[in-house]
């Protein structure tokens, strides 16, 4: 379901607007060799005001990618590029605003379906499908300032690092 963004066209107004912004930017086509995949809250309908459009990618040559991103999006409003190391892995994180949305691009040398953002989204989506009554609680916690993964961990009483705990929980439930 999450291999393309077509499902957004059938969603709520915010999802349709997100689809239009992504399509107008042509980011999925421009970066197709990196397997760009929309992750996070918009695909699973738990976005709130201020939620960004998270697009993850599998990039082996971060320097070449960085130059391409600067060429394509460097002129966009509030463009910021950072090169942090996350869990010992170099990444390129880019933020900018387009079409009324903040975009966050996350690139690392790892298949997108093995990246934390994708796995978390798959787990969260499965939990929302299995326990639809938690959607309102997740959104409430997010509106109070909690990030998505910690919100799910609070609801399911998961201890420790929420990003690791959610993955472990998803594995225990055989979601991933």
């Amino acid at each position: 379901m999450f291999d393309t963004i077509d499902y957004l066209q059938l969603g709520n107004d915010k999802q349709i607007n997100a689809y239009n912004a992504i399509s107008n930017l042509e980011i999925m086509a421009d970066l197709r060799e990196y397997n760009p995949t929309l992750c996070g809250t918009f695909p699973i309908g738990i976005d709130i005001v201020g939620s960004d459009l998270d697009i993850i990618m599998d990039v082996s040559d971060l320097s070449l990618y960085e130059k391409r991103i600067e060429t394509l999006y460097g002129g966009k409003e509030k463009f910021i590029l950072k090169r942090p190391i996350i869990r010992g892995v170099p990444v390129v994180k880019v933020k900018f605003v387009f079409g009324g949305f903040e975009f966050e691009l996350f690139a690392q040398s790892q298949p997108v379906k093995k990246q934390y953002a994708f796995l978390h989204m798959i787990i969260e989506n499965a939990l929302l499908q299995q326990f639809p009554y938690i959607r309102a609680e997740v959104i409430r916690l997010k509106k109070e300032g909690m990030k998505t993964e910690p919100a799910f961990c609070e609801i399911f009483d998961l201890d420790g690092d929420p990003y690791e705990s959610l993955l472990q929980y998803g594995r225990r439930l055989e979601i991933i």
Side-chain angles (χ1 to χ4, degrees):
M1 170 178 160
F2 300 114
D3 291 334
T4 72
I5 60 166
D6 293 343
Y7 62 90
L8 292 174
Q9 297 176 86
L10 306 173
N12 61 39
D13 288 344
K14 288 188 286 185
Q15 288 171 319
I16 292 167
N17 291 336
Y19 174 84
N20 291 333
I22 294 166
S23 297
N24 290 338
L25 186 59
E26 298 182 352
I27 193 167
M28 301 311 232
D30 288 342
L31 302 175
R32 72 178 144 266
E33 72 260 32
Y34 304 121
N35 193 23
T37 303
L38 180 66
C39 287
T41 59
F42 274 92
I44 59 177
I46 56 170
D47 55 286
I48 61 171
V49 172
S51 291
D52 56 15
L53 295 172
D54 296 309
I55 299 176
I56 65 171
M57 287 167 270
D58 178 6
V59 178
S60 56
D61 186 337
L62 293 175
S63 295
L64 183 62
Y65 167 81
E66 188 176 309
K67 289 174 187 161
R68 183 143 184 224
I69 290 299
E70 286 175 337
T71 299
L72 287 168
Y73 312 115
K76 300 295 181 212
E77 182 183 348
K78 298 184 181 177
F79 180 87
I80 298 171
L81 186 146
K82 295 181 181 177
R83 286 194 85 164
I85 297 190
I86 299 176
R87 291 180 192 84
V89 178
V91 303
V92 173
K93 286 178 73 171
V94 174
K95 289 187 178 194
F96 60 86
V97 174
F98 178 83
F101 290 92
E102 181 177 49
F103 282 74
E104 180 173 295
L105 311 183
F106 184 90
Q108 66 177 326
S109 183
Q110 183 174 28
V112 294
K113 291 187 177 178
K114 292 186 177 189
Q115 292 185 30
Y116 275 40
F118 185 83
L119 295 171
H120 289 154
M121 179 179 66
I122 296 301
I123 294 164
E124 293 158 1
N125 187 57
L127 293 172
L128 289 166
Q129 297 296 320
Q130 188 173 357
F131 308 104
Y133 54 88
I134 68 166
R135 183 177 305 275
E137 180 67 5
V138 170
I139 291 171
R140 182 187 68 76
L141 290 169
K142 288 177 60 58
K143 285 180 177 177
E144 290 177 1
M146 195 175 282
K147 294 281 193 182
T148 305
E149 289 80 356
F152 275 89
C153 288
E154 181 166 312
I155 291 167
F156 288 97
D157 199 28
L158 304 175
D159 294 325
D161 176 340
Y163 301 93
E164 295 295 337
S165 296
L166 191 59
L167 287 180
Q168 292 169 6
Y169 190 60
R171 288 184 185 109
R172 276 198 312 272
L173 296 178
E174 298 180 353
I175 296 170
I176 57 170

